[in-house]
Amino acid sequence: MGVLCNLVDIVLFVFFLMIAVAAPLLDAQTCLPQHLFPPFLLELKSWYTQNYGDYLVSEKPHFFVGIVWLELVFQWPLAVASLYAIAAGRSWLSTTCLLYGASTLTSMVAILAELKQSNRASDKLLNLYYPFLGFAVLAVLRGLFGYLEKSVTIGRRPLLRKKRA
């Protein structure tokens, strides 16, 4: 179980690193003024919307802007905290993974429902969004199994005794 958990942590580390970089540099362009970003980031976003046909990023519907704000204010700090927790081996990684995963899973269901129901999304765009749904599920599972692992080891802990002076 430990090797599988370490493998999941490595996969999540790469994912959280990608989110930690992309959210403030690319996703934030959806809801913040354009003059805050350098021209090469604006061009990268323009290339992305043209290449993948992501009409949510280009048209900025209200629900999508709200989801991006949720990502910037809630999910991005959790991704950064999870990066630190994985790198430093902190015990609260399960909590940050569970919170991040549940929030992202909810957001991705809303986004994917819009993409599928609109019939405007190409397979290329859907294939870009599906991995984020998978990573959200993986983060939730990592959070849940981390709690299960903790609850099993609590009973095996040695009793702490006071030292005598």
Side-chain angles (χ1 to χ4, degrees), residues 103-125:
S103 178
T104 302
L105 184 63
T106 305
S107 298
M108 290 312 303
V109 167
I111 290 169
L112 287 168
E114 164 62 28
L115 292 174
K116 294 290 279 182
Q117 295 296 318
S118 71
N119 292 323
R120 294 173 60 188
S122 65
D123 288 338
K124 186 177 183 181
L125 181 61

Side-chain angles (χ1 to χ4, degrees), residues 38-125:
F40 76 93
L41 286 177
L42 297 172
E43 291 170 14
L44 181 62
K45 180 187 166 204
S46 177
W47 171 85
Y48 162 75
T49 54
Q50 290 173 358
N51 193 33
Y52 285 90
D54 195 339
Y55 68 93
L56 293 175
V57 173
S58 62
E59 295 175 9
K60 302 177 186 179
H62 294 298
F63 89 95
F64 186 71
V65 173
I67 287 174
V68 172
W69 273 113
L70 173 70
E71 180 182 11
L72 293 174
V73 173
F74 183 71
Q75 294 171 358
W76 182 75
L78 283 172
V80 172
S82 295
L83 278 172
Y84 173 73
I86 292 170
R90 299 293 182 202
S91 61
W92 41 265
L93 174 63
S94 297
T95 303
T96 58
C97 280
L98 190 57
L99 290 169
Y100 181 88
S103 178
T104 302
L105 184 63
T106 305
S107 298
M108 290 312 303
V109 167
I111 290 169
L112 287 168
E114 164 62 28
L115 292 174
K116 294 290 279 182
Q117 295 296 318
S118 71
N119 292 323
R120 294 173 60 188
S122 65
D123 288 338
K124 186 177 183 181
L125 181 61

Side-chain angles (χ1 to χ4, degrees), residues 3-36:
V3 173
L4 180 62
C5 194
N6 288 340
L7 180 64
V8 168
D9 285 351
I10 291 169
V11 170
L12 287 175
F13 186 85
V14 171
F15 173 69
F16 287 136
L17 186 61
M18 184 177 64
I19 294 301
V21 172
L25 298 179
L26 297 174
D27 295 345
Q29 293 180 38
T30 302
C31 54
L32 295 176
Q34 300 298 308
H35 71 273
L36 296 176

Side-chain angles (χ1 to χ4, degrees), residues 102-164:
S103 178
T104 302
L105 184 63
T106 305
S107 298
M108 290 312 303
V109 167
I111 290 169
L112 287 168
E114 164 62 28
L115 292 174
K116 294 290 279 182
Q117 295 296 318
S118 71
N119 292 323
R120 294 173 60 188
S122 65
D123 288 338
K124 186 177 183 181
L125 181 61
L126 289 171
N127 289 335
L128 183 74
Y129 275 100
Y130 281 133
F132 291 97
L133 183 70
F135 284 119
V137 170
L138 188 62
V140 168
L141 292 175
R142 172 59 176 92
L144 291 175
F145 284 123
Y147 281 118
L148 292 176
E149 199 173 273
K150 278 185 196 174
S151 65
V152 170
T153 58
I154 288 173
R156 297 182 191 161
R157 238 202 245 158
L159 292 174
L160 296 175
R161 296 182 185 191
K162 281 188 172 182
K163 288 186 177 181
R164 292 185 181 174

